[in-house]
């Protein structure tokens, strides 16, 4: 990671592993950018100084002079705070809810998660038209993730995590082997769900139990988180 010279307007673009794969398959015709997002991860709004000694026109001087982070292909460390467009008069921010606070799976068990978004376009709860991004922090703990039985066609955010650009639900199937457990009776990871239209997200703990196969246990409470 590095910093860009912010004395001039700069567009710093890089391709992810998936982007390079598409580009190699058919040139520019196979790689068409259809969506983009804006974020303000680098901005520290506490630096806005309405009492600047040189006058109010300099209130944002410190923010304007902050360095910009260069592009990196890891969504786990960049674009965490995306800018979104809401209807005029919106009084509540959208919130993604997974409808469960924790997913507990025994060996070989499956569970389908169907998130929804609260306060999106003034609707109490609905699925986002663009679907959701699903990121499992440790892909090794699942034999199937969103119908994928391997890491093919998935976006890697770190060495073990995997991200799927999915629809309005995601299926998880726990691994059916005890090779990763050692002396542990359970393994822990997290599933992060992010709305593709709103940028709101929720992170849910996932626990894989070593003891039984083919059963699942999901706590029936509602967990809501906003980032």
């Amino acid at each position: 990671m590095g910093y860009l010279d912010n004395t001039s307007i700069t567009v710093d673009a890089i391709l992810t592993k998936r982007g390079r794969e598409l580009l190699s398959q058919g040139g520019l015709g196979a790689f068409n950018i259809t969506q983009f997002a804006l974020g303000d991860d680098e901005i520290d709004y506490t630096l806005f100084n309405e009492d600047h000694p040189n006058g109010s026109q300099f209130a944002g001087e410190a923010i304007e002079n902050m360095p910009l982070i260069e592009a990196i292909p890891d969504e786990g460390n960049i674009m965490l705070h995306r800018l979104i467009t809401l209807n005029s008069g919106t009084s509540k921010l959208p919130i993604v809810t997974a409808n469960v606070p924790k997913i507990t799976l025994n060996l070989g068990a499956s569970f389908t998660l169907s998130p929804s978004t609260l306060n999106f376009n003034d609707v109490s709860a609905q699925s986002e038209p663009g679907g959701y991004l699903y990121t499992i922090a440790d892909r090794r703990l699942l034999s199937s993730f969103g119908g994928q039985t391997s890491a093919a066609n998935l976006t890697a955010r770190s060495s073990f995590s995997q991200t799927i650009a999915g629809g309005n639900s995601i299926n998880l199937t726990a691994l059916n082997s005890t090779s990763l457990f050692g002396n542990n009776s359970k393994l822990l990871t997290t599933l992060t769900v992010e709305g593709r239209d709103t940028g709101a997200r929720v992170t849910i703990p996932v626990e894989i139990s070593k003891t039984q196969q083919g059963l699942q246990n999901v706590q029936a409470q509602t967990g809501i988180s906003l980032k």
Side-chain angles (χ1 to χ4, degrees):
M1 180 183 293
Y3 294 99
L4 301 174
D5 180 5
N6 65 352
T7 60
S8 60
I9 298 176
T10 302
V11 177
D12 181 33
I14 58 175
L15 295 179
T16 62
K17 181 178 179 180
R18 178 60 175 162
R20 293 193 297 271
E21 178 184 341
L22 290 173
L23 189 61
S24 67
Q25 291 175 354
L28 294 176
F31 180 71
N32 296 314
I33 298 175
T34 60
Q35 294 178 321
F36 70 92
L38 302 175
D40 58 357
D41 290 9
E42 306 99 329
I43 308 303
D44 182 359
Y45 290 104
T46 64
L47 297 177
F48 189 82
N49 182 14
E50 295 181 302
D51 299 320
H52 195 284
N54 293 331
S56 59
Q57 66 269 32
F58 292 93
E61 182 180 37
I63 294 177
E64 294 168 358
N65 291 328
M66 292 180 65
L68 299 177
I69 301 174
E70 68 177 1
I72 57 174
D74 182 358
E75 292 186 24
N77 291 299
I78 199 168
M79 295 295 290
L80 298 180
H81 304 283
R82 299 184 182 182
L83 305 183
I84 62 175
T85 300
L86 300 175
N87 293 334
S88 177
T90 298
S91 59
K92 297 180 180 179
L93 289 175
I95 300 174
V96 170
T97 174
N99 302 309
V100 292
K102 181 179 180 181
I103 298 173
T104 301
L105 296 173
N106 295 318
L107 292 176
S110 297
F111 176 70
T112 298
L113 183 75
S114 299
S116 59
T117 302
L118 311 180
N119 308 326
F120 181 40
N121 290 335
D122 297 323
V123 178
S124 58
Q126 65 173 316
S127 298
E128 298 195 18
Y132 297 86
L133 293 175
Y134 302 91
T135 300
I136 189 72
D138 193 340
R139 178 63 172 81
R140 301 174 302 166
L141 305 189
L142 301 178
S143 62
S144 176
F145 181 43
Q148 297 283 345
T149 56
S150 69
N153 299 323
L154 299 179
T155 301
R157 292 190 174 184
S158 67
S159 56
F160 295 125
S161 69
Q162 298 290 343
T163 299
I164 288 181
N168 296 322
S169 64
I170 186 77
N171 181 267
L172 298 81
T173 301
L175 79 172
N176 205 11
S177 167
T178 60
S179 59
L180 296 178
F181 283 85
N183 295 324
N184 300 310
S185 61
K186 60 184 178 181
L187 297 175
L188 305 176
T189 186
T190 59
L191 175 67
T192 299
V193 182
E194 178 181 335
R196 302 187 70 181
D197 295 289
T198 64
R201 65 179 64 189
V202 63
T203 297
I204 314 145
V206 178
E207 177 181 307
I208 309 298
S209 174
K210 184 180 181 180
T211 53
Q212 296 178 321
Q213 297 187 31
L215 298 175
Q216 67 186 33
N217 178 25
V218 179
Q219 297 182 23
Q221 300 177 18
T222 299
I224 298 176
S225 177
L226 175 65
K227 183 172 183 179

